[in-house]
């Protein structure tokens, strides 16, 4: 912070705010973390329906800002002077309904984690403040419709499942952050920033993101674990997409733009305590869930706990489905591995109709596509297998996870040689190109999963013996990258990157998907700890204390996402399914 003391522009962020008012204006005084430097934002209150915001470009010292506030008070004595309104920790948004603009402030926060020295917060209290002075407002400001809209906005509980950071881009993966070249501001246009629209009026007028906080909706959990006396942090962060957002039954499948319901990116980060100074090792792996990317729906009914499933319309060229997978390729690279957990056989066809159509869609999209860009489709009837008394659900899913990790890899920092102060200042490493890594196939003996479409039979239980089935799409196959993956894990000082992603779905992308994502997380954690030199083996025993701690994290995440999308906690917990 010594450099910040000499050069206020190095403060980079404003973290604490105080709101003052006169009859004519609001003044937002923002300070850096150390409260050494201050900025001033002025908001006009004389227009009933227009937003006039101006930012003072000067960085003030504590004494200078006190003097400024005193002069403002003296200059407004005739109309009541300057009054303190509230302290705040950032602007969550600015919105207009029929007439007045409203300012949404974070008035209480709580730290819920810290990633490599960057604090992560949730909101404990927020406040909505009317910007125009009451003397200039018309009857519209107090009309029944205006009050109804205000009440609707107030019903959005910002204290539940929203989180943010001033210095760490929590809306994107650790790998994306590290490979972003010289990022100076928070990326608000990211699909996981839920208040992008609400903050745009302030950001566009100030041409920066100093005054606003970028809120991510989903789940954040951090725990400390001790492994052979070495303390590590494990973070589980789930980010819900703001596109095609909504609750179960109201939002299903895909829209015309390729956005799917319940699109959630889950990231598992592991780092050593000393990584706060950028000397320690870090690792991260990303997986995602999302509704089946077809046009389908269900009509909720009190009489039927399992409403009928309708394929609303058939898209002969699967254009929306293609848009979805093209978007995933841009986000994660290739390969895209699809794990489909819906039922194969039913007395009354529901899920199986979607399964057949999903297979057709993937088969169509894999036509005339280069080998490395073909979708890898794995189907496993979760319910059918889980009914067996001898079923080892976690064992089968763990093998799927292992194959997926062999293909995609995971992010590992290596041993940093250059110390950096801020994550958002890290430049692109020479081995990364736009967050992807060119992994070349080697000549080992991985090719145990040979088909682009694979149906995992309940009786097999051993992926190493699986072969293609009658519904195989084409022999696209999983590529042989085991040797490369093993190389990645043993290169202790060399950075490695994830390219591609495992996409899991059931019908709601909740219960069955939670179990599969935990199995993937457990398999990934073993490799992450091994790459960081914390263990000698690649696997974590499912009965170990580490596995139990991770399971609790995934259960907590599953409950949070189930409440957000389905309105209640997860019906089948991870622990009850895998035991």
């Amino acid at each position: 912070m010594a450099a910040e003391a000499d050069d206020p522009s190095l403060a980079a962020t404003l973290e604490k705010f105080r709101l003052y008012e006169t009859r004519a204006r609001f003044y937002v005084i923002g300070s850096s973390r150390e409260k050494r430097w201050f900025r001033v934002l002025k908001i006009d209150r004389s227009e009933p329906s227009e937003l006039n915001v101006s930012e003072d470009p000067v960085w003030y010292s504590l004494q200078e800002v006190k003097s400024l506030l005193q002069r403002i008070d003296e200059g407004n004595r005739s109309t009541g002077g300057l009054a303190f309104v509230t302290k705040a920790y950032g602007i969550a948004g600015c919105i207009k309904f029929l007439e007045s603009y409203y300012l949404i402030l974070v008035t209480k926060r709580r730290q819920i984690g810290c990633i490599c020295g960057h604090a992560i917060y949730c909101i404990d209290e927020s406040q909505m403040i009317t910007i125009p002075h009451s003397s200039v407002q018309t009857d519209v400001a107090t009309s029944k419709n205006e009050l109804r809209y205000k009440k609707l906005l107030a019903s959005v509980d910002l204290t539940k499942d929203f989180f943010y950071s001033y210095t760490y881009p929590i809306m994107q993966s650790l790998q994306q952050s590290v490979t972003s070249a010289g990022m100076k501001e928070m990326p608000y246009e990211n699909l996981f920033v839920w208040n992008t629209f609400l903050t745009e009026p302030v950001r566009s007028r100030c041409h920066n993101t100093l005054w606003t906080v970028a809120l991510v909706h989903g789940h954040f959990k951090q725990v400390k674990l001790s492994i052979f006396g070495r303390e590590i942090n494990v973070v589980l962060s789930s980010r819900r997409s703001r596109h095609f957002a909504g609750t179960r039954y109201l939002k299903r499948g895909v829209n015309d733009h390729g956005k799917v319901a319940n699109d959630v990116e889950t990231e598992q980060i592991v780092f050593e305590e000393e990584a706060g100074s950028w000397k320690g090792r870090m690792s991260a792996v990303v997986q995602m869930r999302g509704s089946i990317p077809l046009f389908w729906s269900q009509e909720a009914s009190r009489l039927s706990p399992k409403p009928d499933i309708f394929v609303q319309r058939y898209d002969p060229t699967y254009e929306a489905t293609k848009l979805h997978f093209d978007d995933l390729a841009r986000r994660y690279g290739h390969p895209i591995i699809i794990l489909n957990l819906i039922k194969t056989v039913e007395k009354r066809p529901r899920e199986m109709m979607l399964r057949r159509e999903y297979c057709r869609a993937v088969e169509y999209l894999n036509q005339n596509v280069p080998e490395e860009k073909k979708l890898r489709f794995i189907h496993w009837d979760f319910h059918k297998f889980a009914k067996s008394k001898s079923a080892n659900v976690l064992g089968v899913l763990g093998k799927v996870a292992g194959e997926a990790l062999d293909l995609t890899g995971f992010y590992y920092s290596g041993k940093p040689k250059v110390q950096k102060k801020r994550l958002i200042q890290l430049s692109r490493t020479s081995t990364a190109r736009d967050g992807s890594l060119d992994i070349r196939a080697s000549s080992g003996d991985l090719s145990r999963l040979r088909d682009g479409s694979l149906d995992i039979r309940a009786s097999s239980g051993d992926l190493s013996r699986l072969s293609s089935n009658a519904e195989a799409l084409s022999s696209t196959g999983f590529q042989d990258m085991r040797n490369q993956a093993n190389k990645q894990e043993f290169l202790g000082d060399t950075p490695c990157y994830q390219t591609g992603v495992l996409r899991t779905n059931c019908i709601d992308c909740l219960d069955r998907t939670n179990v599969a994502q935990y199995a993937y997380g457990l398999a990934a954690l073993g490799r992450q700890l091994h790459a960081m030199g914390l263990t000698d083996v690649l696997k974590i025993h499912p009965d170990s204390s580490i596995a139990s701690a991770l399971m609790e994290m995934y259960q907590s995440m599953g409950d949070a996402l189930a409440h957000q999308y389905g309105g209640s906690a997860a019906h089948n917990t991870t622990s009850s399914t895998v035991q």
Side-chain angles (χ1 to χ4, degrees), residues 7-20:
D7 185 357
S9 64
L10 295 178
T13 60
L14 300 176
E15 297 191 17
K16 296 180 179 179
F17 304 83
R18 293 177 70 85
L19 180 67
Y20 296 87

Side-chain angles (χ1 to χ4, degrees), residues 376-394:
R376 274 64 173 173
F377 189 89
I378 304 172
H379 179 80
W380 186 46
D381 190 332
F382 185 105
H383 274 308
K384 183 178 179 181
F385 184 80
K387 285 180 180 178
S388 170
K389 292 181 179 180
S390 59
N392 182 1
V393 172
L394 195 59

Side-chain angles (χ1 to χ4, degrees), residues 16-35:
K16 296 180 179 179
F17 304 83
R18 293 177 70 85
L19 180 67
Y20 296 87
E21 68 173 344
T22 65
R23 184 185 177 92
R25 281 178 175 170
F26 276 120
Y27 292 88
V28 184
I29 311 299
S31 69
S32 61
R33 182 186 299 182
E34 302 298 312
K35 291 189 175 181

Side-chain angles (χ1 to χ4, degrees), residues 293-307:
L294 301 169
F295 293 108
W296 63 282
S297 64
Q298 280 180 288
E299 293 182 7
S301 169
R302 292 180 181 177
L303 301 177
S304 175
K306 293 183 178 181

Side-chain angles (χ1 to χ4, degrees), residues 91-128:
I91 298 173
C94 194
I95 193 170
K96 173 186 175 182
F97 298 118
L98 299 179
E99 180 181 89
S100 304
Y101 269 93
Y102 302 93
L103 195 64
I104 306 167
L105 297 176
V106 177
T107 51
K108 279 189 181 180
R109 70 181 184 188
R110 174 167 44 90
Q111 186 172 340
I112 55 174
C114 185
I115 300 178
C116 301
H118 299 266
I120 313 298
Y121 298 95
C122 69
I123 300 172
D124 271 349
E125 279 186 19
S126 63
Q127 188 175 347
M128 185 162 60

Side-chain angles (χ1 to χ4, degrees), residues 244-258:
F244 203 48
T247 55
R248 179 173 55 181
Y249 301 129
L250 296 180
K251 295 292 184 180
R252 287 298 212 200
V254 70
N255 66 11
D256 289 322
H257 304 290

Side-chain angles (χ1 to χ4, degrees), residues 357-423:
E357 187 63 17
Y358 201 2
C359 283
R360 293 190 191 106
V362 174
E363 181 179 18
Y364 182 88
L365 296 178
N366 274 344
Q367 295 181 117
N368 305 317
V369 174
E371 191 75 18
E372 67 275 9
K373 293 186 178 181
K374 289 185 185 294
L375 302 171
R376 274 64 173 173
F377 189 89
I378 304 172
H379 179 80
W380 186 46
D381 190 332
F382 185 105
H383 274 308
K384 183 178 179 181
F385 184 80
K387 285 180 180 178
S388 170
K389 292 181 179 180
S390 59
N392 182 1
V393 172
L394 195 59
V396 175
L397 289 173
K399 291 179 185 295
V400 174
E403 298 291 352
L405 286 162
D406 285 341
L407 290 169
T408 66
F410 56 92
Y411 171 69
Y412 169 54
S413 66
K415 188 176 181 181
K417 296 178 181 178
V418 180
Q419 184 173 332
K420 295 289 184 180
K421 286 187 177 180
R422 294 178 182 276
L423 182 63

